[in-house]
Structures are given as C-alpha cells and as structure tokens.
Amino acid sequence: VTASFSENANTRLPGYTDSTQALGQNWRSMEPGLAFILGAQPDTNWLNNAAKKGLISKDSTFSDLFQQSYTQRLSLSALIQPVKDFTLNISVSKTLNKNYSELFKDTTGTGMNFGHLSPYGGGGYDISYTSFKTLFGNFNPNTVSKTFLQFQDNRVIVSQRVGSVNKYNIYGIGGGSTTPDANGYYYGYGRYSTDVLLPAFIAAYSGQDAHKIALISEQNPNIKYNPFHGMIPRPNWKLTYSGLSKIKQLKKIFTNITLTHGYSGTLSIDGFTSALNYQDESKYGYPSFYDTVSRSYVPYFLVPNITMQEQFSPLIGIDVTMVNKLQAKFEYSKSRILSLSLSNFELAETRSTSWSIGAGYRKKGIKLLAGLKLPKILNKKGGTTLDNEMNFRFDLKVVDNVSSNSVLDAGTSYATSGSREITLSPTIDYTLSNRVNIKLYFQRTRVVPYISSSVPTTNTKAGVQIRISLAP
C-alpha cells in the first residue's frame, strides 16, 4: 500500500504593521503568533482580532488585497495478490484547490471600522469515482434516457431535503417557508437551483438514492474548508489473472493465458466561484438572499459545470499464446463522459464502445520458393528456406462513438455527433540481420457517421518500411 497526502497553503497579508524578527515572529509582542508562522491560515476572526490589536494599517486609502490559496492532494494505491498469478490494483485520488481574496481595510482611518470588502473565492474539486451502475443498458441518442428522467425526478427530493433544513425557511424569515409549492419544491430551492441540481445529478447517474446523497455545504469558514466534503472519493481498479495456463488440460495447448479487467472514473467540479449576491444575514450557515428571477436562494458557491468520466478499459480482455507460437488477443471496452452545464441546464453525454481482435504468428524456416535457391541475404547457404523468423500480425478494431444533448424539462434529446470506425491492419515483419528489419504493412480505416451532416470517409495506407540500426 502506498499513500500520499499533501497540503500547500499560502496567505498574503498586506498592511501588517508589526515587525518580524527570528523565524518571522516578533518575540517581544509575540505577533503574528506561533500558529501563523507554523502554517495556520487566518480566517475572518483572526483578521478581526489582528485589527483590534492594531496590527493592520488604519490607512483609509489602503487598497492591497488580502489573498489566500490552498491545495490538498490525496493519493492512495494498493497492490493485492490474494492468490498466485492474480493481482488487483486499487487506486483512490482526491484534489481540492481553493483561492480567496478580499480587501480588509478601515474605511474611516480611525481603526474602528474595519470591513471585509469585495470577498471573492473559487476553486476546483476532483475525485476518483464510480458511476457504472447506469452505464449499461440501451441507449438512444434521440430519446430521453431513463437516467435523465430520474435526474429530473430527483430534484424534488433534494429540494425537500435542503429546503427543510434551511433555518430561514424554518423560521419563516424573508418569505421563507417549509411548505412546498404545487410541484413539491421548497421555497428558494427550485428545479434549477445549484444546491438541487448537483446532488440530484450525482444521485441519478451514480445509481444512488436521492434521499441519501450528500448535499452541498453552504459555508466557507476558512480557506481549507471543502463545501463538497460529502462527495467521498471511490476506488478505481485493475484486475489481472494469468494462472489458467497452469491448468493441466490447458497447459498442453497454451503457454500463456492472461485475463484483464479495469475501471477508472472521475467526478470533477471545476471553476466554482463565490456568488457576489450571497448573504447569510443571521449567520445560520445557510443562504438568505432570495433571487426573484431564478426563484432560488443565491448559494455561496456558483458551479458552472460538473463532469463525470468513466471507462472500462477493458471491460474484458483476453491475451493468449499457444505452444505453436500463435498469439491471439481480444478486448472489449466501454466509456462515458457526462458534462452538465448549470448555465443552460443542458447535459452533454458521449458514449463509446469498442472491441478489438488481434492475432500474431511467428515462424522460422519458411519456404518461399520451392525448388529455388534463395539469395544469401535470405539464406546464408543458398537454400530454399528463410534463415530468420518471420512475424505475421493481424488486427481489427471497431469503435462506436455517439454524443447527445438533453435539456432539462424540454422532453427531448438529440444526437450531436457519432460514428462507427473500423480499422483493419495486417503486417508482416522479417529481420534480415541484427541491424536490418523489413516490414510490410497495410492499414484501412473506414468511418461511417451516424448523422446526416457528415459523410463517410475511408483512409488506406500501405507500404514497405526498412529499419537499419547503425549502433556499434
């Protein structure tokens, strides 16, 4: 097991008026404090206390920003071998990055009226994740999927969960209410609210219960706080088993049989930023400002986009080598990319399914010209068989890609792009000597689009490749 955890935090505090001596500390005044010089990141209370102590400039014309940045990374990997010839690789990852800035100044010059002006924060969150429960099944790019319909239905459930705990609704402050509207949505948490859409989307496409999915936290007490801490990283994996060739009945036919299976997935929330209109008047830890246009509470963080990516690479893979040196390989893979825009409430979904087969055969002493002597470059004795080994290879790969867009509450879905790509590539390799290699190759790729705006294309390549090594 290998684990790595790192934090990188930085604070830039302009306007600090006390001096610094050894190790960045004034040991007479004991400022800015041992916690600060050892890496503790100031929060609002720390700044307020520093201002009360007279440690911050009282200049009313001061305009330099207080700035903070923070990056946290977690990486965990494990190699497990429960039985001989069977290996399981497991990996977990998490990355959180945040930044924050504000103008902390005394607007009057008296030292009695410090304010936190123009606060602005943002960042990104990326974790390993699993969402394969909804990957399989029929998919029609021109029909709204069952999973998307579930996503739409989940919004009511999430709205009831977040709306019933917001204290501005519980206490009926500013029009807040715990009585849902005719469609089941709570005050301030409509069908297009960020706090509703994100959990509803994740629950639907990861196959979780919307009643239990983690919600977004509407607090930001310090730079290290993660508003998406309820979204816990999930493991990715890769399996490899090569013990079948040791079975007595198979050992006579195969020298190697390797089975592979792997899954990797991520959940990314990139580019979230603090909302300028966010308010929490009573310091309850919930938004209090109601936007009459969107009919939702303005959250602390605005999220422009959330992305899910996953792939079985491969879902199943088989690689065998026979005793007669014949090699064969088969792989079947599936992948999906989901990108939900919270600006136009549109989901872009791209799916890919591919399978490939390959075969190779090595043979030495091949007779090319029966009854005729070959040149000495191919046979040193001038015989009828090739001196060196010849390698034959055949590969066929088929990839199906399709992309579609679905808009919330529109009731329609439409394909935006897609194609089937078929690639055929046989090759023949022959080593003339330890310095010269000759390769005959042929590759044909045909792309058949699924939408009428594109045309079919076919590309063909063929030729002879000669490699010469000049190394001594």
Side-chain angles (χ1 to χ4, degrees), residues 441-445 459-463:
Y441 67 90
F442 176 87
Q443 180 176 309
R444 187 181 181 89
T445 302
N459 295 316
T460 303
K461 295 190 300 182

Side-chain angles (χ1 to χ4, degrees), residues 397-415:
K397 185 173 183 179
V398 179
V399 180
D400 281 292
N401 294 302
V402 63
S403 298
S404 68
N405 283 14
S406 302
V407 182
L408 284 170
D409 304 314
T412 59
S413 181
Y414 57 94

Side-chain angles (χ1 to χ4, degrees), residues 141-142 401-404 414-420 447-456:
N142 296 308
N401 294 302
V402 63
S403 298
S404 68
Y414 57 94
T416 57
S417 64
S419 65
R420 166 170 284 192
V447 179
V448 182
Y450 289 142
I451 56 177
S452 57
S453 58
S454 301
V455 296

Side-chain angles (χ1 to χ4, degrees), residues 240-281:
T240 304
Y241 181 60
S242 58
L244 290 177
S245 59
K246 296 183 179 180
I247 299 176
K248 186 176 181 180
Q249 291 78 0
L250 297 176
K251 192 174 183 179
K252 299 177 181 179
I253 305 173
F254 302 97
T255 58
N256 174 68
I257 302 176
T258 301
L259 305 178
T260 57
H261 165 77
Y263 176 86
S264 62
T266 59
L267 173 64
S268 303
I269 303 173
D270 295 322
F272 62 83
T273 58
S274 57
L276 298 178
N277 293 330
Y278 172 80
Q279 294 179 12
D280 182 8
E281 294 181 353

Side-chain angles (χ1 to χ4, degrees), residues 100-257:
Y100 179 77
S101 65
E102 67 174 40
L103 180 58
F104 183 65
K105 63 179 292 185
D106 181 3
T107 57
T108 62
T110 62
M112 303 297 293
N113 194 29
F114 277 89
H116 302 270
L117 310 178
S118 304
Y120 185 79
Y125 187 53
D126 186 278
I127 57 175
S128 58
Y129 210 67
T130 57
S131 52
F132 59 86
K133 290 183 179 179
T134 59
L135 175 61
F136 300 94
N138 295 329
F139 175 73
N140 187 336
N142 296 308
T143 303
V144 179
S145 67
K146 293 182 179 180
T147 309
F148 190 81
L149 294 175
Q150 184 64 58
F151 166 35
Q152 294 186 146
D153 295 340
N154 284 349
R155 292 178 298 173
V156 174
I157 299 173
V158 176
S159 174
Q160 294 173 351
R161 290 180 60 196
V162 295
S164 61
V165 297
N166 187 324
K167 293 184 179 180
Y168 293 99
N169 283 354
I170 295 175
Y171 301 143
I173 300 176
S177 173
T178 56
T179 301
D181 62 18
N183 295 315
Y185 292 96
Y186 274 53
Y187 180 86
Y189 295 100
R191 62 185 67 211
Y192 301 122
S193 167
T194 298
D195 292 332
V196 171
L197 288 176
L198 259 68
F201 170 75
I202 295 173
Y205 281 89
S206 63
Q208 300 182 69
D209 187 351
H211 294 91
K212 301 178 181 179
I213 194 71
L215 303 177
I216 303 173
S217 176
E218 286 300 344
Q219 302 180 44
N220 193 46
N222 54 63
I223 189 64
K224 293 186 176 182
Y225 188 77
N226 182 6
F228 310 103
H229 60 84
M231 302 173 189
I232 301 174
R234 295 185 176 186
N236 297 165
W237 63 85
K238 185 172 183 179
L239 307 174
T240 304
Y241 181 60
S242 58
L244 290 177
S245 59
K246 296 183 179 180
I247 299 176
K248 186 176 181 180
Q249 291 78 0
L250 297 176
K251 192 174 183 179
K252 299 177 181 179
I253 305 173
F254 302 97
T255 58
N256 174 68
I257 302 176

